[in-house]
Amino acid sequence: MSLQMSRRCALTALAALGAFALTTPPAVATATPAQIATSKTNGVTYLKSLQTADGSYAGSGLSNEWAFSAFAAAGTAAVDVTPGGDPSKNARTVYRDLLSTSGWPSASPVVTDYERAALNAYAAGIDPARVSASRNLIADVYGYWQPAETGYFGPSANFNGTVFAALALNGARTTAGQVRVPQALRDAVITRLRANQHNDGGWNYSKAEGNATQLAAASDIDMTGAAMAALCVSGVPSTDTDLVQAKAFLKSKLIASSGAFNALFGVNTDSNGWAVSGLNACGVNAQTGDFLTSQGKTPVDFLIAQQFNPGGGFKYLPSDTSPSAYASIDGLRAVAGGGFTSAPPVPVTAGAPQWVGESSLTSGTATKLALTVDDGTGALKVCSVALTPTGSTTTLGAVLDAAVTAATPSGCVTAVTPLSGTGAVTSLNGTANSGANTWKVSIDGSTFTTAARETTVGVGDTIAVRWGV
């Protein structure tokens, strides 16, 4: 299911799990550290109650995998979440197994399937590029690049696919904390994010670029939070003019008496959660300055007032009498200070590593690798390259050769010199080395060095090839 569809469907689904009492009374001032700590503790308890007996949060009929982003923000490792204390069914292992299956996500996947998975795998402590020898979520996202509309992922009409591409490709870093995608790719997506900002300072789920009517239409609170986060994780500072305008839009929708945002779908937990997560991702305190109302309320106050305690679930609408799983995820993630993903906490389970991921390619097992080719003209090429390795590693030459015929989208590589053997790449796609301007390569965001056919490429590596000094 696409992110946008799961988002809307989930808004109407109410969960009936957990023990409930009365809602927390509305705070009379900003939420205190003690209130936030209690909210996190109870919220985690509720989300744990959503785990099925087999350890799942996602799968057939389930769409609660965003719980991993909330757990991470709240300081709970997914590997520590087990049904009935059975470590063999811990949430991380079960989720990784699901993502590794050939039938996942569906027969007709969309880009948001892979973006959602990358964000939540990262939060769960699974390297999204190395889920298994055959599953590379970063490469899966690369496959939806739009060559005719540089900077968009998936059909441009569904703008949220591009927003969540920025969140996934920048937010789901390497296990060492390095942004794995090249600056040229980041810049191309940033340009599209800016071009879709509405006149009122916010964003919506659909494309607005080049359409005066859409640019003048009212923005959505939820998508404004997501787009703000997308810009910030892409390296745009919160002082940037577009982000200042976005903050002004959110401020204009703040209700003084409650700290809720006046969203297109009415006052609700999900909209507040997405907006606060956007502010969190940009390092903006949602309890001070522009977001502390004249009546002493903040967006975090509203979220905590929506929570059942001690049950821990959050209701979607203020009038609801039972919690919603999706609202509980959005609410907890925001109250805990999270953006749309967070690095996984160190597990408390003895012997459990913070991260898991495939360590090598498997000879004879088809895989995908993420590749960008930048010839310096601004015509960036982005693709997912399919190949079947013959050993535990492969080479840059093998990847470039495979990209000629097995890249999605096609056209990423049309010709490479030399055609075989070893040595520096002297020409790619018709652009030859010239003086100090030569082809260079970066792996997983490392420093660019001479691109040689024999350069080692491992499982899940994100490869950037660039012509220049």
Side-chain angles (χ1 to χ4, degrees):
M1 180 181 289
S2 70
L3 186 148
Q4 62 266 42
M5 297 209 32
S6 63
R7 164 78 176 91
R8 295 309 176 201
C9 292
L11 296 181
T12 60
L14 295 174
L17 298 169
F20 316 127
L22 296 176
T23 58
T24 303
V28 296
T30 59
T32 66
Q35 286 177 307
I36 291 173
T38 297
S39 177
K40 288 164 60 176
T41 298
N42 292 342
V44 166
T45 297
Y46 175 76
L47 292 192
K48 285 182 176 180
S49 76
L50 300 179
Q51 187 177 31
T52 63
D54 66 359
S56 299
Y57 276 89
S60 179
L62 290 172
S63 59
N64 292 331
E65 64 201 287
W66 282 109
F68 298 127
S69 67
F71 278 135
T76 296
V79 71
D80 294 330
V81 179
T82 61
D86 183 351
S88 69
K89 298 178 181 178
N90 73 79
R92 179 171 72 183
T93 295
V94 172
Y95 188 47
R96 185 184 181 191
D97 288 345
L98 171 68
L99 299 180
S100 299
T101 59
S102 59
W104 180 90
S106 69
S108 302
V110 293
V111 66
T112 47
D113 291 331
Y114 300 110
E115 294 160 352
R116 180 178 66 250
L119 290 163
N120 285 293
Y122 178 79
I126 305 165
D127 185 339
R130 300 172 175 87
V131 177
S132 69
S134 59
R135 175 66 70 196
N136 178 343
L137 295 168
I138 303 302
D140 287 329
V141 174
Y142 268 39
Y144 286 82
W145 176 260
Q146 301 296 297
E149 295 181 284
T150 300
Y152 282 108
F153 284 88
S156 62
N158 295 328
F159 173 60
N160 67 318
T162 297
V163 171
F164 277 84
L167 289 169
L169 297 178
N170 292 282
R173 300 187 173 198
T174 68
T175 58
Q178 174 68 44
V179 175
R180 65 181 88 217
V181 300
Q183 191 62 46
L185 175 55
R186 302 177 87 191
D187 290 343
V189 178
I190 288 170
T191 296
R192 295 300 189 178
L193 295 175
R194 293 187 189 278
N196 280 277
Q197 187 172 26
H198 290 211
N199 300 342
D200 62 11
W203 285 265
N204 212 323
Y205 284 82
S206 57
K207 181 182 179 182
E209 181 181 6
N211 186 323
T213 300
Q214 287 299 315
L215 289 170
S219 294
D220 175 65
I221 296 293
D222 311 48
M223 205 61 200
T224 296
M228 287 178 66
L231 284 170
C232 289
V233 300
S234 298
V236 178
S238 62
T239 53
D240 178 86
T241 299
D242 289 337
L243 287 168
V244 170
Q245 292 173 347
K247 287 183 284 185
F249 166 73
L250 289 181
K251 178 184 177 182
S252 74
K253 298 296 182 180
L254 195 58
I255 299 172
S257 61
S258 66
F261 289 106
N262 188 12
L264 291 176
F265 296 93
V267 169
N268 68 85
T269 295
D270 294 305
S271 294
N272 259 61
W274 280 41
V276 172
S277 283
L279 294 171
N280 291 340
C282 290
V284 177
N285 191 329
Q287 293 213 91
T288 61
D290 289 340
F291 299 100
L292 176 60
T293 76
S294 59
Q295 296 185 37
K297 300 294 184 179
T298 75
V300 176
D301 285 330
F302 174 77
L303 290 172
I304 291 179
Q306 289 285 94
Q307 188 176 26
F308 291 88
N309 282 310
F314 290 72
K315 51 188 174 180
Y316 170 55
L317 297 174
S319 58
D320 289 341
T321 58
S322 60
S324 154
Y326 198 79
S328 299
I329 291 167
D330 284 346
L332 175 60
R333 183 176 60 229
V335 170
F340 287 83
T341 194
S342 299
V346 175
V348 297
T349 300
Q354 183 180 12
W355 294 99
V356 292
E358 197 71 20
S359 60
S360 63
L361 294 167
T362 299
S363 180
T365 297
T367 193
K368 294 179 182 179
L369 292 166
L371 172 67
T372 57
V373 178
D374 180 7
D375 65 4
T377 66
L380 181 69
K381 296 183 182 297
V382 179
C383 60
S384 173
V385 181
L387 78 163
T388 301
T390 57
S392 60
T393 62
T394 188
T395 64
L396 177 61
V399 174
L400 296 177
D401 292 343
V404 175
T405 58
T408 304
S410 62
C412 206
V413 176
T414 55
V416 57
T417 304
L419 294 174
S420 61
T422 60
V425 173
T426 57
S427 179
L428 190 61
N429 295 348
T431 299
N433 291 346
S434 177
N437 290 299
T438 61
W439 285 102
K440 297 177 174 62
V441 65
S442 167
I443 304 291
D444 277 354
S446 64
T447 301
F448 279 87
T449 58
T450 298
R453 286 191 61 91
E454 66 269 24
T455 298
T456 300
V457 174
V459 63
D461 283 350
T462 299
I463 308 159
V465 181
R466 184 187 74 189
W467 184 87
V469 177

